[in-house]
Amino acid sequence: LATPHIAGYSQDGKIRGTEMIYQAFCRHFALEQGLPVQYPLAEITGLAVSELLSAEQLLQRLTGLFYEPLIDDAALRATLLLEPEARKLAFDRLRKKYPVRREMQTTCLHLPVGSTELQQVAQALELPWQEG
């Protein structure tokens, strides 16, 4: 798989980055930080998970919900067929016009009681979760 470098391209990453710049600006100029950070509500705020799902299946489902690398791969590979100057422009466009996406951490997993394996997946991905 080949994808353009998109670290920080999630909506949540952009908000966090802006907040970090704001905090640094306030510290540098000895200003009081008075603006609370507001994250927009995610489209998917909770996800009920069945005990029939294995840890591997949960990971696959979550990945598909929040990021489809094959779409990025196809778009990036298509630029390889272009002339060098057009390739540069196309690559830049891939990054500048990247679609809005949210991070997995915006969704709370509702896991079956006692599902240790699924809890380990949630913890490894630093996802909020609860039993029941």
Side-chain angles (χ1 to χ4, degrees), residues 8 10 14 32 37 45 48 52 71 88 92 107 109 123 132:
S10 70
K14 289 178 180 182
E32 186 176 327
V37 176
T45 57
L52 301 175
I71 293 171
K88 284 186 218 175
D92 193 46
T107 301
L109 296 181
Q123 290 168 345

mmCIF file of all heavy atoms in Angstrom, residues 8 10 14 32 37 45 48 52 71 88 92 107 109 123 132:
data_model
loop_
_atom_site.group_PDB
_atom_site.id
_atom_site.type_symbol
_atom_site.label_atom_id
_atom_site.label_comp_id
_atom_site.label_asym_id
_atom_site.label_seq_id
_atom_site.Cartn_x
_atom_site.Cartn_y
_atom_site.Cartn_z
ATOM 1 N N GLY A 8 -2.012 13.817 10.933
ATOM 2 C CA GLY A 8 -2.614 15.072 11.360
ATOM 3 C C GLY A 8 -3.708 15.569 10.438
ATOM 4 O O GLY A 8 -4.195 16.681 10.610
ATOM 5 N N SER A 10 -6.710 14.294 10.117
ATOM 6 C CA SER A 10 -8.070 14.098 10.626
ATOM 7 C C SER A 10 -8.561 15.444 11.152
ATOM 8 O O SER A 10 -7.773 16.333 11.500
ATOM 9 C CB SER A 10 -8.088 13.065 11.748
ATOM 10 O OG SER A 10 -7.471 13.589 12.906
ATOM 11 N N LYS A 14 -6.318 18.245 13.287
ATOM 12 C CA LYS A 14 -6.208 19.669 12.910
ATOM 13 C C LYS A 14 -6.627 20.568 14.071
ATOM 14 O O LYS A 14 -5.989 21.590 14.334
ATOM 15 C CB LYS A 14 -7.057 19.951 11.677
ATOM 16 C CG LYS A 14 -6.480 19.351 10.414
ATOM 17 C CD LYS A 14 -7.367 19.618 9.221
ATOM 18 C CE LYS A 14 -6.770 18.999 7.968
ATOM 19 N NZ LYS A 14 -7.556 19.264 6.781
ATOM 20 N N GLU A 32 -3.337 35.013 28.896
ATOM 21 C CA GLU A 32 -4.189 34.006 29.515
ATOM 22 C C GLU A 32 -4.910 33.223 28.425
ATOM 23 O O GLU A 32 -5.417 33.811 27.464
ATOM 24 C CB GLU A 32 -5.217 34.691 30.425
ATOM 25 C CG GLU A 32 -6.043 33.724 31.222
ATOM 26 C CD GLU A 32 -6.977 34.432 32.186
ATOM 27 O OE1 GLU A 32 -6.610 35.504 32.701
ATOM 28 O OE2 GLU A 32 -8.075 33.903 32.402
ATOM 29 N N VAL A 37 -11.630 24.597 23.878
ATOM 30 C CA VAL A 37 -11.584 23.850 22.622
ATOM 31 C C VAL A 37 -12.920 23.155 22.423
ATOM 32 O O VAL A 37 -13.422 22.492 23.328
ATOM 33 C CB VAL A 37 -10.445 22.813 22.639
ATOM 34 C CG1 VAL A 37 -10.464 21.975 21.384
ATOM 35 C CG2 VAL A 37 -9.116 23.521 22.797
ATOM 36 N N THR A 45 -20.935 8.130 17.470
ATOM 37 C CA THR A 45 -20.432 8.386 18.820
ATOM 38 C C THR A 45 -20.355 7.127 19.660
ATOM 39 O O THR A 45 -19.666 7.101 20.665
ATOM 40 C CB THR A 45 -21.323 9.421 19.547
ATOM 41 O OG1 THR A 45 -22.665 8.927 19.561
ATOM 42 C CG2 THR A 45 -21.264 10.768 18.847
ATOM 43 N N ALA A 48 -22.024 -0.492 19.284
ATOM 44 C CA ALA A 48 -22.267 -1.717 20.049
ATOM 45 C C ALA A 48 -21.596 -2.887 19.340
ATOM 46 O O ALA A 48 -21.743 -3.064 18.135
ATOM 47 C CB ALA A 48 -23.762 -1.966 20.171
ATOM 48 N N LEU A 52 -20.080 -12.081 19.306
ATOM 49 C CA LEU A 52 -19.757 -12.965 18.188
ATOM 50 C C LEU A 52 -18.541 -12.473 17.393
ATOM 51 O O LEU A 52 -17.984 -13.216 16.593
ATOM 52 C CB LEU A 52 -20.960 -13.086 17.240
ATOM 53 C CG LEU A 52 -22.246 -13.634 17.862
ATOM 54 C CD1 LEU A 52 -23.382 -13.588 16.852
ATOM 55 C CD2 LEU A 52 -22.030 -15.035 18.395
ATOM 56 N N ILE A 71 -8.358 3.254 -0.959
ATOM 57 C CA ILE A 71 -8.775 4.436 -1.722
ATOM 58 C C ILE A 71 -7.582 5.373 -1.903
ATOM 59 O O ILE A 71 -7.317 5.847 -3.009
ATOM 60 C CB ILE A 71 -9.947 5.148 -1.021
ATOM 61 C CG1 ILE A 71 -11.186 4.251 -1.059
ATOM 62 C CG2 ILE A 71 -10.234 6.499 -1.672
ATOM 63 C CD1 ILE A 71 -12.345 4.749 -0.213
ATOM 64 N N LYS A 88 3.610 16.120 -9.551
ATOM 65 C CA LYS A 88 3.790 16.976 -8.372
ATOM 66 C C LYS A 88 2.490 17.679 -8.007
ATOM 67 O O LYS A 88 2.102 17.730 -6.844
ATOM 68 C CB LYS A 88 4.878 18.028 -8.631
ATOM 69 C CG LYS A 88 6.269 17.518 -8.568
ATOM 70 C CD LYS A 88 7.213 18.694 -8.685
ATOM 71 C CE LYS A 88 8.415 18.341 -9.511
ATOM 72 N NZ LYS A 88 9.292 19.473 -9.744
ATOM 73 N N ASP A 92 0.217 17.069 -4.650
ATOM 74 C CA ASP A 92 -0.114 18.195 -3.780
ATOM 75 C C ASP A 92 -1.632 18.298 -3.610
ATOM 76 O O ASP A 92 -2.126 18.555 -2.517
ATOM 77 C CB ASP A 92 0.454 19.481 -4.372
ATOM 78 C CG ASP A 92 0.414 20.628 -3.385
ATOM 79 O OD1 ASP A 92 0.809 20.417 -2.212
ATOM 80 O OD2 ASP A 92 -0.017 21.723 -3.782
ATOM 81 N N THR A 107 -15.335 7.658 19.036
ATOM 82 C CA THR A 107 -16.399 6.670 19.169
ATOM 83 C C THR A 107 -16.158 5.774 20.379
ATOM 84 O O THR A 107 -15.073 5.217 20.542
ATOM 85 C CB THR A 107 -16.473 5.798 17.895
ATOM 86 O OG1 THR A 107 -16.714 6.651 16.789
ATOM 87 C CG2 THR A 107 -17.579 4.771 17.991
ATOM 88 N N LEU A 109 -16.806 2.377 22.299
ATOM 89 C CA LEU A 109 -17.217 1.004 22.025
ATOM 90 C C LEU A 109 -18.014 0.461 23.207
ATOM 91 O O LEU A 109 -17.617 0.621 24.356
ATOM 92 C CB LEU A 109 -15.992 0.110 21.804
ATOM 93 C CG LEU A 109 -15.117 0.422 20.605
ATOM 94 C CD1 LEU A 109 -13.964 -0.569 20.528
ATOM 95 C CD2 LEU A 109 -15.923 0.404 19.321
ATOM 96 N N GLN A 123 -8.222 -0.958 24.275
ATOM 97 C CA GLN A 123 -7.138 -0.337 25.039
ATOM 98 C C GLN A 123 -5.917 -0.084 24.168
ATOM 99 O O GLN A 123 -5.288 0.971 24.259
ATOM 100 C CB GLN A 123 -6.780 -1.202 26.246
ATOM 101 C CG GLN A 123 -7.861 -1.187 27.304
ATOM 102 C CD GLN A 123 -7.673 -2.241 28.374
ATOM 103 O OE1 GLN A 123 -6.898 -3.184 28.221
ATOM 104 N NE2 GLN A 123 -8.409 -2.107 29.468
ATOM 105 N N GLY A 132 -21.333 -3.664 28.496
ATOM 106 C CA GLY A 132 -22.786 -3.662 28.580
ATOM 107 C C GLY A 132 -23.479 -3.223 27.331
ATOM 108 O O GLY A 132 -23.017 -2.692 26.422
#
